[in-house]
Amino acid sequence: MRLHVVLPDESPEMPVSRLVELGREAEALGFAGLWLPDHLLPPGDYGPTYGGVYEPLVTLAHLAAVTTRVTLGTSVLVLPLRDPLTLAKQTATLAELSGGRFVLGVGTGWEAYEFDAAGADFAGRGARTTAALRLLRHLHTQGGGPYEDAFHSFDGRAVFRPVPRTPVPFLVGGNSDAALRRAVRVGDFWQAVFLSPEEFAERRDRLRELGGERVSAGARDSWDDDAVPVDDVVRRVRDWERAGPDDLALHFGPAEGFGRRMRALAERVPGLLAQG
């Protein structure tokens, strides 16, 4: 099981320079990846519910320039709020800038207000997410047209560049059967959210039942409160290890104390980190 870090991008007062410091420290400690959330126009202030003050793709491009080893990804980008052609170019460019370290993590979204504000189809967000991923994979492998689906159509004159040296991996987030089926159809990774280790194992088994044997299964968890002793967090990480996810992404709570909690856990589980 590889340990990753979800960076604290929930506060408008958090400078990008601090995210960079935390990202570089996470890499030095041996964490496997850095992840950022996404919300475009939430109906409330950024915070624990609505993370994503900084646009994640732009921020990850910045982090790519100051790191060398860690995976860089979105956990998760609200894909049906994005134009797929623009996103294809952004993600292909980010794959090049990062030396192939970028993973596009996506979700369908859950906040109807953002869809209304963006003029996007909330009811059809699942179908648009799957279609967008298929379009991205086509462009990232074929470099242009022809292509046609229910939402996009272009002929053989269409040229797409840059073509990634290897296709950008897709991570599908979510616990529902619909998310699992999407991961089977178009994903390389699946990420469970807000589940216990036992619940994760049940959903992972369901992923396999649906035909997702080749899909890497991971999860997200958090240590948000200094009142929770590090020993309790270590026990939970060991519970996760027994449940068997390939990757576990951890959010270490508010920016105040984030680095301290990250270091405290790293000291206790060195065998789960790259340097261990």
Side-chain angles (χ1 to χ4, degrees):
M1 183 178 76
R2 297 173 292 266
L3 292 182
H4 300 244
V5 172
V6 182
L7 290 170
D9 185 22
E10 299 92 12
S11 171
E13 289 75 37
M14 166 68 78
V16 171
S17 60
R18 181 58 179 148
L19 290 179
V20 168
E21 290 172 2
L22 290 170
R24 295 181 74 171
E25 183 176 13
E27 181 174 65
L29 289 169
F31 286 94
L34 304 175
W35 300 80
L36 285 173
D38 175 51
H39 275 286
L40 290 180
L41 197 69
D45 205 359
Y46 287 93
T49 300
Y50 300 114
V53 169
Y54 297 107
E55 201 288 319
L57 300 178
V58 174
T59 308
L60 289 171
H62 185 58
L63 289 167
V66 297
T67 57
T68 60
R69 176 188 58 79
V70 284
T71 296
L72 302 167
T74 50
S75 180
V76 289
L77 191 87
V78 185
L79 182 49
L81 293 181
R82 309 289 179 128
D83 172 66
L85 293 177
T86 303
L87 184 61
K89 199 165 194 69
Q90 290 172 318
T91 53
T93 300
L94 187 45
E96 179 68 22
L97 292 173
S98 65
R101 292 185 285 139
F102 174 63
V103 174
L104 176 62
V106 304
T108 60
W110 54 269
E111 180 53 76
Y113 178 90
E114 287 186 289
F115 283 76
D116 289 342
D121 178 13
F122 185 73
R125 65 194 188 281
R128 287 184 176 275
T129 296
T130 300
L133 288 173
R134 286 176 169 152
L135 174 58
L136 264 67
R137 183 55 51 83
H138 173 86
L139 293 172
H140 287 177
T141 56
Q142 303 303 312
Y147 185 83
E148 184 172 0
D149 65 18
F151 307 105
H152 292 86
S153 177
F154 44 86
D155 61 27
R157 294 173 294 174
V159 176
F160 177 85
R161 296 292 185 274
V163 175
R165 298 170 194 179
T166 57
V168 171
F170 297 152
L171 177 150
V172 175
N175 307 324
S176 67
D177 271 14
L180 298 180
R181 291 190 182 96
R182 185 170 299 109
V184 170
R185 290 195 296 268
V186 293
D188 303 287
F189 300 88
W190 165 67
Q191 186 180 75
V193 290
F194 306 125
L195 297 184
S196 68
E198 296 76 19
E199 291 167 332
F200 161 82
E202 186 276 326
R203 290 280 82 194
R204 190 253 333 272
D205 292 346
R206 177 60 174 156
L207 176 73
R208 304 304 183 219
E209 290 174 4
L210 293 170
E213 293 83 3
R214 65 170 185 81
V215 178
S216 180
R220 272 188 61 167
D221 206 340
S222 62
W223 179 15
D224 294 330
D225 190 346
D226 282 332
V228 178
V230 66
D231 287 346
D232 290 356
V233 180
V234 170
R235 280 192 288 270
R236 185 168 177 85
V237 168
R238 295 305 183 190
D239 288 343
W240 276 113
E241 191 177 15
R242 285 187 287 274
D246 299 309
D247 298 276
L248 177 64
L250 293 166
H251 187 280
F252 291 95
E256 177 63 32
F258 189 100
R260 180 179 66 253
R261 288 183 288 272
M262 182 174 68
R263 289 188 295 274
L265 181 63
E267 290 173 0
R268 297 291 300 275
V269 293
L272 295 179
L273 303 175
Q275 64 184 20

